[in-house]
Amino acid sequence: MSGNYADINVSLDGHVATVEIDRPPHNFFDRYLISQIADAYAECDDDPACRAIVLASNGKSFCAGANFGSGREERSGHEEFSEDGFRNTTGMLYREGVRLFSAKTPVVAAVQGAAIGGGFGLALSADFRVGAPEARFSANFVKLGIHPGFGLTVTLPNLIGKQAANLMFLTGRRIKGEEALSLGLIDQLVPLDEVRGAACALAAEIAENAPLAIGSVRATVRHGLAEQIARATDHELAEQQWLRATEDAEEGIRAVAERRPGNFKGR
């Protein structure tokens, strides 16, 4: 692996690459981070020695979503949460996100902690997920007064079914590791200190098989997914833009930051 990245660490052990997000403790994302992950995936796709990827993170959370507190996008992990931000930056972020779904190498996500909002979407971009009881999954967008994003309106119903996905979307509830396993959000549940190792073991099990066959089967199973995600994120962004201009969205941002229920007015 030759890439030099500001916010991720990339290494290759045998036929398995590890792409580690390095913005602890909560690994908040912006388009720069998603772009770096997409670039690392492209590097893996171009390396014949790499046959599987582990997407992991260094910190308490896997990815706790975008940090909406600064009012502008910064390299430090703050994503602009304003009308201009959605128009000028979130669209670019989603285009980088589509690149994750376009990658050719199988990905196993090691989810040791919270995967919230767009961070949840990032976890679901992987083929498989290994999680701990301490892991938390939430599509908390309605608590912010906005529409789900990062392709979750495609990936979540595909994974756990429309009814269970709708329950998560409309309640914004957090799902713990044990329930995540029963729903199918994660494929393996292991103790916290074994998450990375178990994800690497699963990736190695994939990588020991014939790489051309793996690529062929995966391409068949995921056929059209990147294009579907591109269409979905266009719609998600449009919905987020008009909802961002509402009073409820302003209240939702404050309420989540203050760790209290929102006092929503429907306007």
Side-chain angles (χ1 to χ4, degrees):
M1 299 286 104
S2 60
N4 185 18
Y5 304 100
D7 301 298
I8 63 173
N9 304 310
V10 182
S11 60
L12 183 67
D13 183 7
H15 292 304
V16 175
T18 297
V19 177
E20 179 189 59
I21 303 169
D22 194 17
R23 285 182 172 178
H26 297 300
N27 297 297
F28 294 115
F29 74 89
D30 55 20
R31 66 185 176 94
Y32 299 107
L33 178 61
I34 302 304
S35 178
Q36 289 173 67
I37 297 172
D39 286 347
Y41 283 11
E43 185 180 358
C44 291
D45 285 348
D46 290 338
D47 187 343
C50 180
R51 300 181 182 177
I53 298 168
V54 171
L55 177 63
S57 56
N58 173 27
K60 180 179 180 180
S61 299
F62 172 76
C63 178
N67 189 334
F68 300 142
S70 70
R72 65 187 187 280
E73 185 180 65
E74 299 173 347
R75 292 301 298 271
S76 61
H78 293 80
E79 178 73 12
E80 186 175 349
F81 195 62
S82 66
E83 188 172 358
D84 286 343
F86 273 123
R87 185 183 305 108
N88 297 324
T89 64
T90 308
M92 289 185 285
L93 186 153
Y94 287 162
R95 286 192 289 275
E96 294 297 328
V98 170
R99 293 178 61 207
L100 304 182
F101 291 91
S102 301
K104 299 176 182 178
T105 307
V107 180
V108 180
V111 186
Q112 83 285 9
I116 308 297
F120 185 23
L122 178 60
L124 295 197
S125 71
D127 298 77
F128 305 100
R129 282 149 297 282
V130 175
E134 292 83 354
R136 298 290 185 273
F137 301 87
S138 179
N140 67 335
F141 300 89
V142 291
K143 293 186 180 298
L144 290 162
I146 62 170
H147 188 281
F150 215 99
L152 275 164
T153 55
V154 171
T155 56
L156 188 57
N158 282 354
L159 188 62
I160 65 174
K162 185 175 180 178
Q163 189 70 5
N166 204 32
L167 186 61
M168 290 191 71
F169 283 141
L170 297 187
T171 64
R173 65 174 55 168
R174 291 195 175 199
I175 302 297
K176 298 179 181 179
E178 292 87 351
E179 186 177 1
L181 180 66
S182 67
L183 284 173
L185 282 175
I186 59 176
D187 301 283
Q188 290 180 232
L189 183 70
V190 299
L192 179 62
D193 60 356
E194 298 178 17
V195 170
R196 183 80 66 98
C200 289
L202 176 54
E205 185 179 357
I206 295 168
E208 73 181 12
N209 295 298
L212 296 179
I214 289 291
S216 175
V217 172
R218 186 176 184 269
T220 297
V221 172
R222 291 169 69 98
H223 177 71
L225 179 58
E227 293 79 10
Q228 190 179 7
I229 294 295
R231 291 191 298 269
T233 51
D234 284 346
H235 174 75
E236 290 168 352
L237 178 57
E239 292 299 304
Q240 288 177 331
Q241 280 182 284
W242 79 262
L243 284 166
R244 176 60 189 90
T246 66
E247 294 179 19
D248 277 355
E250 296 290 345
E251 166 60 14
I253 299 163
R254 288 193 298 267
V256 168
E258 296 169 5
R259 299 181 181 273
R260 61 172 174 81
N263 182 22
F264 298 115
K265 304 296 185 182
R267 59 177 185 263

